[in-house]
Structure formats: structure tokens, C-alpha cells
Amino acid sequence: MTRTVYVNGDYLPETEAKVSIFDRGFLMADAVYEVTSVLGGKLLDYAGHEKRLARSLNELDMVNPVTPEDLLEVHRQLVERNGIENGLIYLQITRGNAGDRSFVFPDTSVPGTIVLFTQSVPDLELPKSAQTGIKVIAFDDLRWGRRDIKTVQLLWPSMAKMAAKKAGCDDAFFVKDGMVTEGSSSNAYIVKGNKIITRPLSNDILHGITRATLLVYAAEAQFEIEERAFTIEEAQSADEAFVTGASTFVMPVIEVDGKPVGTGAPGPVARRLRELYIAEGKKAAI
Ligand code: PDD
């Protein structure tokens, strides 16, 4: 089936959707993005994604070409038009097409480019990886210093995923100054007894929407939460490890840089948190 995508006000078959070669998203990675999950045809954590998008745009002096009301409607239309039961909606806003290539930002009369598209993921709720857990390698965090802004500069995360694949693993934990920052497209956690440990928010990591929601549910479920950085060695000797993100929810990590974590199988805390996030997320989905 040809997907229907959204480009600058129009719903089009993906084969007819076009963006200029002078678009700054293409030339300069001058663009931000969001990924929102869909379960049962409804949007999870939408308010959080919308808020973070506004923050990313604001940090880069960019303007959202679409009002909040229209943006929600575009998400809903794409779910409906593409018959998405379970899947993901990707959104990108670029600084637009200034007509020439230049390092200098064009003035704000140049409209931004907005693109949204869907990806159907039938097993989003119950992927095999959630049962088996994933293996991660340690990988030097050489990304730029504003990882709190969700920009489309995803080359280093792609290189990290390729290095993981080459090593027979699934993903990477980025490491900066000896401490884990986050996963290549997720936030990272370890579990010790009843305690969930994750790096505090700063410019070093993306302020995950799944993270924010999960920490509220976890506190309500009487888990202790400690926001501090941890090392690869600490992750290897923890009871459990896991990552969170819109495309993975809560994903158990069973091996870190060649060493099994805990029993080497998904643990009860990650399992419980995954169930909790999905059950509560579905109740709150719009
Ligand atoms: N990635 N950290 C990084 C570097 C990420 O790219 C992501 C999400 C997260 C988790 O954020 P959230 O819970 O808001 O999805 C943390 C998305 C899913 C992606 O790039 O596909």
C-alpha cells in the first residue's frame, strides 16, 4: 500500500511528496523531529512530544509552521488514512528552503518545511526483543553538546547501531567521561534492588518523554528513583538494565559490552515497568 504522508499542508501519496534540494534539513541537518507511538489507533504521550517539539524549535529560533490544533489533527489524519493500528509517526520540521546554500540562517519570512509520515509496526506492543532482551555495546559519545534538542543529526547514533550490529549486538550505550549518557536512541537505566538509577536531565541527554512518564508511574508503584550517572562496569554488575523510548517503550538489556547483566535474561522490574507503561499509556492515549 502506498502511504499517505503530510508535506507543508498537503496529504499526498509518498511517491508524490517532494522537498527542495535547497532545504536546510537536507543541506545542514537544520531540523528537529519527534517520534510518537500509536497503540490501538491512539497516540501515546502526545502532549509530551508536542511540548518537547516546541522546546526544540525554541532553542534553535525556529517557528512551527503549524498550530498545535492542526498538528494533532495531522497526526490523527495520518493514523486514519494509513490504517495504523500499531506503529510510529515521524515528524520533521526544518528551517526551510532559503533558495541558496548558506551557513547563515535565512530570515523568518522563509517558512519552515514540515513533513510527517507513518510506519506501521504490528508487533510494537509485543516484539520478540521485549521477551528476549537486547545486547548493547559501549560506544564513545561523540555527538554535539546539545543532545537535549531533538535534531535530525543522527549520523553518530547510526554509526553506533552499525558498530553494535557488527559486534552481534542490538544497540549501544553511549559513554562520555567514563559515564553512560544514554542509549543510541533511548534513555538508559540500571536496577539495584528496588532502586531505578538513571542519568539526570542536562544537555548531555535527550529529555525522553517515555522517561518522564515512566518515572512517575515507577514512583507511584513504590520504586525508589535515583537520578545519577553510572558506569559500564556498574551496569554490568547491576540486577537489571533497560532502555526507554517511544519506539521501544521499556526494553530489557541483558548484556552490556560482552558481560551478562543479572541472570542474563530480562528481569522482573523491567517486565513490570513495561507492562505498567503500556497499560497506563493506553488508558491515557488520545
Ligand atoms: N529516539 N535518547 C535519544 C538519543 C533518542 O533518540 C530517544 C528517542 C530517546 C527517548 O526519547 P522518547 O522517550 O521521547 O522517545 C532518548 C526516537 C524514538 C528515534 O529517534 O527513533
Side-chain angles (χ1 to χ4, degrees), residues 33-37 45 48-49 52 88 90 143 147 149-151 154 157 161 174 181-189 204-213 243-249 277:
Y33 80 110
E34 277 298 328
V35 184
T36 303
S37 55
D45 262 332
H49 290 285
R52 185 175 60 196
L88 299 164
Y90 290 87
R143 296 173 298 166
R147 303 164 194 140
I149 307 174
K150 197 165 172 66
T151 75
L154 297 172
K161 296 237 199 237
F174 281 136
T181 49
E182 59 186 333
S184 70
S185 61
S186 56
N187 291 115
Y189 309 73
D204 289 336
I205 63 169
L206 185 73
H207 301 186
I209 303 307
T210 318
R211 176 190 186 279
T213 301
V243 294
T244 66
S247 55
T248 47
F249 304 139
Y277 179 80

Side-chain angles (χ1 to χ4, degrees), residues 1-33:
M1 194 181 96
T2 308
R3 259 179 302 199
T4 297
V5 303
Y6 177 88
V7 185
N8 296 329
D10 295 321
Y11 293 96
L12 299 166
E14 64 181 275
T15 45
E16 285 170 32
K18 290 192 179 70
V19 174
S20 167
I21 66 153
F22 294 108
D23 194 279
R24 290 182 61 86
F26 177 63
L27 294 178
M28 302 280 182
D30 189 355
V32 301
Y33 80 110

Side-chain angles (χ1 to χ4, degrees), residues 213-232:
T213 301
L214 184 76
L215 290 185
V216 172
Y217 294 156
E220 282 168 6
Q222 308 301 320
F223 286 103
E224 200 184 322
I225 289 150
E226 193 179 348
E227 294 188 68
R228 65 161 173 85
F230 55 86
T231 61
I232 289 290

Side-chain angles (χ1 to χ4, degrees), residues 5 7 10 24 36 46 58 70 73 92 105 111 113 116 148 162 167 191 199 224 233 262 269 276 278-279 283:
V5 303
V7 185
D10 295 321
R24 290 182 61 86
T36 303
Y46 182 79
N58 189 52
D70 287 349
E73 181 55 21
Q92 285 196 196
F105 292 172
T113 300
L116 283 93
D148 57 311
M162 292 312 292
V191 178
R199 194 175 175 111
E224 200 184 322
E233 292 70 31
V269 174
L276 201 60
I278 291 175
K283 276 191 229 159

Side-chain angles (χ1 to χ4, degrees), residues 51-117:
K51 199 166 157 204
R52 185 175 60 196
L53 174 66
R55 180 180 183 275
S56 294
L57 290 166
N58 189 52
E59 291 296 313
L60 297 174
D61 288 327
M62 284 168 72
V63 178
N64 192 335
V66 173
T67 66
E69 297 73 34
D70 287 349
L71 197 60
L72 175 57
E73 181 55 21
V74 174
H75 280 79
R76 288 188 161 144
Q77 282 287 328
L78 287 182
V79 169
E80 201 184 310
R81 288 174 191 234
N82 292 295
I84 303 293
E85 184 62 16
N86 294 335
L88 299 164
I89 304 185
Y90 290 87
L91 169 160
Q92 285 196 196
I93 298 177
T94 82
R95 207 183 299 274
N97 164 18
D100 275 321
R101 184 183 183 276
S102 167
F103 281 88
V104 177
F105 292 172
D107 68 51
T108 47
S109 62
V110 172
T113 300
I114 177 163
V115 169
L116 283 93
F117 59 91

